[in-house]
Amino acid sequence: MKYTAIPGIKRPLSQLILGTTKFFEDKKDDVFAVLDAFLQAGGNTIDTGPKYAKYQAEKLIGQWMQERGNREDVILISKGGHYHIDKDGTHHPEMKRVDPVEITKDLHDSLENLQTDYIDIYLIHRDDRSVPVQVLMDMLHEHKQAGKIGIYGVSNWQPDRIEEANAYADAKGFDRLFVNSPNLSLAQLNEVRWAETVALDNDNLAWHRRTGMPVISWASQAGGFFTGTYDRHHVTDEEIARVYYNDDNWERFDRAAEIAEKKGVTANQIAVAYVLHQDFPTCAIVGCKNVQRLEEALPAIDIDLTEEEVKWLNLELADAAVK
């Protein structure tokens, strides 16, 4: 395993972060096996949220940590302020919850579910531009002072809001937002997959290069686009087609497959390696519902890509550039 240092966290984060959106209670044995295997492989960072897996993921993680007695071996990332989701999984993007009362409720729910008294990295899960950053930063600072969270950051915010929040933090003497968690993947999105989310476009990438703010990327595997599961000539998954099907992405797929063949790995592993080879600190969240999926993801950590290969994969260099 390789690791990424983030200011404010004593231990560096594993560059592969375990995603938990498929951690359902009826799959408890599989979930515990994945968690055990992840730690055995050197992973130490788990990404979750109070609503993940229909409100079940955090409870399973909490049970696992209690049974294993390993809370201090784990870096937990959780989030608050996601719009409302029913218990059956129905999303209500119109029901925004980016305010201190709702986020604090989410935090307390997470602490209870995870059976812990602190969360290492806490993120505001969505943004609402009608809410002043000042009240959100005041809230995060209060929870930090109370010892309920370690460092804090945001997910699905635009750079101007991050800069505004950090300017306020500097003026007040608070900790800054230390980490951003948007989508970053080799596949470029036609449109966002879920409401109110942010994928890094070229402008956002340039901002991260300039500021060096670390990125924890969700959907780093682009919904399995690079696994070979999908057919460019036929639509078998309407959502994947809506978000990812375009000529440039199929060219990226072909290039990932070509490099993968040379290196003796898979195109999906190349896609994850692409996320980890940016010129600013990155980690990639990988969702693994069983040990087999985890074992398929792990080799990506050891793949070396040159700067030319990274640019070629993203169509920034002509096809002959790395031949």
Side-chain angles (χ1 to χ4, degrees):
M1 186 62 66
K2 296 178 182 177
Y3 302 87
T4 294
I6 292 181
I9 292 289
K10 293 180 180 179
R11 290 183 296 148
L13 283 64
S14 51
Q15 284 195 321
L16 289 186
I17 294 176
L18 188 61
T20 62
T21 58
K22 303 296 184 183
F23 279 18
F24 294 100
E25 290 173 341
D26 63 349
K27 301 294 184 182
K28 178 180 175 180
D29 290 346
D30 285 339
V31 169
F32 278 32
V34 168
L35 288 163
D36 288 338
F38 181 66
L39 258 65
Q40 289 168 7
N44 64 5
T45 308
I46 300 171
D47 176 84
T48 192
K51 296 176 173 58
Y52 282 10
K54 298 181 181 179
Y55 296 81
Q56 298 170 38
E58 287 191 336
K59 293 178 181 179
L60 284 174
I61 297 165
Q63 292 171 23
W64 172 75
M65 290 191 300
Q66 283 295 311
E67 289 188 16
R68 302 297 190 264
N70 62 4
R71 172 65 185 93
E72 296 306 310
D73 299 327
V74 174
I75 297 172
L76 288 175
I77 303 171
S78 193
K79 314 171 189 72
H82 195 286
Y83 57 71
H84 180 69
I85 300 178
D86 293 335
K87 293 290 186 180
D88 66 1
T90 303
H91 287 222
H92 295 277
E94 75 283 359
M95 299 175 67
K96 295 178 183 287
R97 301 177 55 259
V98 184
D99 69 73
V101 172
E102 294 293 330
I103 294 170
T104 298
K105 179 182 182 303
D106 285 347
L107 171 60
H108 290 159
D109 286 347
S110 291
L111 292 171
E112 180 179 355
N113 291 335
L114 292 163
Q115 301 184 55
T116 186
D117 55 5
Y118 72 99
I119 293 171
D120 302 89
I121 302 175
Y122 200 72
L123 308 178
I124 299 179
H125 205 168
R126 290 291 195 273
D127 194 12
D128 180 349
R129 286 180 173 270
S130 70
V131 180
V133 296
Q134 292 82 353
V135 300
L136 299 173
M137 295 300 287
D138 286 346
M139 172 205 65
L140 291 171
H141 177 73
E142 179 181 339
H143 293 318
K144 164 81 174 181
Q145 293 300 106
K148 297 176 183 178
I149 58 179
I151 68 167
Y152 42 79
V154 291
S155 182
N156 302 301
W157 279 37
Q158 293 289 354
D160 65 308
R161 286 276 281 180
I162 296 173
E163 289 184 342
E164 183 182 3
N166 281 343
Y168 177 75
D170 291 345
K172 295 284 288 187
F174 296 169
D175 284 352
R176 288 180 145 223
L177 300 173
F178 280 132
V179 65
N180 185 26
S181 184
N183 169 247
L184 169 60
S185 68
L186 177 57
Q188 299 296 301
L189 279 60
N190 299 320
E191 56 186 81
V192 294
R193 189 171 179 184
W194 297 288
E196 308 290 337
T197 57
V198 172
L200 295 190
D201 58 18
N202 288 334
D203 289 341
N204 285 2
L205 286 169
W207 183 83
H208 276 280
R209 292 186 189 107
R210 177 172 59 82
T211 63
M213 176 176 259
V215 162
I216 295 174
S217 172
W218 54 261
S220 61
Q221 299 176 98
F225 181 81
F226 293 94
T227 61
T229 301
Y230 305 107
D231 183 341
R232 71 190 72 196
H233 303 297
H234 299 92
V235 173
T236 55
D237 186 307
E238 294 288 346
E239 183 175 67
I240 295 298
R242 172 179 64 84
V243 176
Y244 297 113
Y245 276 34
N246 62 59
D247 290 343
D248 281 350
N249 279 344
W250 287 117
E251 175 63 19
R252 292 184 177 97
F253 176 91
D254 291 340
R255 293 187 180 197
E258 184 175 334
I259 289 183
E261 185 175 3
K262 292 178 181 178
K263 295 180 181 290
V265 296
T266 68
N268 193 54
Q269 291 162 355
I270 291 293
V272 175
Y274 168 84
V275 172
L276 301 178
H277 282 77
Q278 301 299 309
D279 45 9
F280 51 87
T282 57
C283 297
I285 299 171
V286 292
C288 304
K289 63 183 180 180
N290 55 45
V291 173
Q292 179 183 349
R293 292 290 178 86
L294 176 63
E295 290 173 346
E296 291 169 358
L298 286 171
I301 204 72
D302 294 318
I303 296 172
D304 289 323
L305 295 176
T306 66
E307 182 179 351
E308 290 75 18
E309 286 173 330
V310 170
K311 290 181 177 179
W312 184 72
L313 283 166
N314 196 33
L315 313 186
E316 297 174 58
L317 294 178
D319 190 51
V322 297
K323 298 294 186 181

